[in-house]
Amino acid sequence: MIEQQKKEPEIPYLTRIQVLGAMGTTAIILLIVAKLSLYLGNFSLFSWDLNQRELLLGVGLGFAITALSGVAYRVWTAYRQSADYYLEVVLKPLALPDLIWLGLLPGLSEELLFRGVMLPALGLDHVAVIISSLCFGILHFSGSQQWPYVIWATIVGMIFAYSALLTGNLLVPIVAHIITNWISSYFWKMSQLRQLKNKF
């Protein structure tokens, strides 16, 4: 009987320093692209205003997206496998305090580029939402088996984009993105720690 080998990821597992470095580098690159686009383009950054109403709306939206992700995780097998793969590569090496950066760096840099810059650059309409969301989804591609995760990220990108358009405030998707990353990564990390404890 031939023993089945464990399927290795298409990208190698990273160390904690490599994951944090990749997050920081990606955030810097996205911020540079956003700044260059604003400098070279004939449009303004999507407006954002720090106020309590939109802050709370962003928090609520973050919780709602996390709940939807939980439902998708339970009922959509391909998404569950894809999400587990992605989260294992990204989250497994990280310590709990590192999750702060996992929320802040992508939440700020990705929203600035995909919603703050791309939406006004493309016309602040449905086409702009679709194109910017597809680009956001593709950013989360990490291997040929990751299409369910890319599809889910695209859907979430559309929710973020429409939240910006409907409120007129970039703060809403920024906060929602940060909250979503924090909650989902925390619960995934806790479930992995519980599984590890149960083995001993």
Side-chain angles (χ1 to χ4, degrees):
M1 185 176 181
I2 299 172
E3 188 178 328
Q4 286 186 336
Q5 293 182 338
K6 186 180 177 184
K7 188 177 180 183
E8 289 298 317
E10 292 180 35
I11 57 173
Y13 286 114
L14 304 173
T15 66
R16 176 176 178 254
I17 298 301
Q18 287 173 325
V19 172
L20 291 172
M23 280 195 305
T25 302
T26 302
I28 290 168
I29 291 169
L30 293 179
L31 289 171
I32 290 170
V33 171
K35 284 285 191 182
L36 282 173
S37 300
L38 287 170
Y39 180 75
L40 298 172
N42 189 23
F43 60 92
S44 299
L45 178 69
F46 199 100
S47 64
W48 72 297
D49 176 41
L50 184 59
N51 66 68
Q52 187 177 5
R53 181 179 173 274
E54 268 75 23
L55 185 65
L56 291 174
L57 190 57
V59 170
L61 184 61
F63 276 100
I65 290 170
T66 305
L68 284 174
S69 179
V71 171
Y73 187 88
R74 289 181 183 278
V75 302
W76 185 10
T77 305
Y79 169 69
R80 180 169 59 251
Q81 293 168 345
S82 184
D84 280 340
Y85 170 87
Y86 184 86
L87 294 172
E88 185 168 339
V89 169
V90 174
L91 290 180
K92 193 172 183 179
L94 298 182
L96 278 176
D98 298 333
L99 301 186
I100 294 170
W101 297 113
L102 189 67
L104 290 176
L105 290 175
L108 291 168
S109 62
E110 291 174 12
E111 291 312 309
L112 178 64
L113 177 60
F114 294 106
R115 263 59 72 175
V117 170
M118 287 188 77
L119 281 180
L122 296 170
L124 294 172
D125 55 16
H126 298 301
V127 174
V129 168
I130 292 167
I131 293 173
S132 64
S133 300
L134 282 170
C135 292
F136 177 72
I138 290 168
L139 178 72
H140 293 80
F141 178 78
S142 58
S144 61
Q145 303 301 312
Q146 292 306 99
W147 287 109
Y149 197 80
V150 171
I151 292 168
W152 177 251
T154 302
I155 292 167
V156 171
M158 293 179 76
I159 296 171
F160 288 152
Y162 279 118
S163 75
L165 289 180
L166 292 172
T167 62
N169 195 343
L170 189 61
L171 179 70
V172 176
I174 288 174
V175 172
H177 195 153
I178 291 169
I179 293 294
T180 301
N181 282 12
W182 277 344
I183 297 172
S184 59
S185 60
Y186 176 79
F187 279 112
W188 190 90
K189 196 75 175 168
M190 288 296 99
S191 72
Q192 295 303 302
L193 291 174
R194 278 195 302 272
Q195 288 177 20
L196 195 60
K197 281 183 180 178
N198 291 338
K199 287 182 180 179
F200 297 102

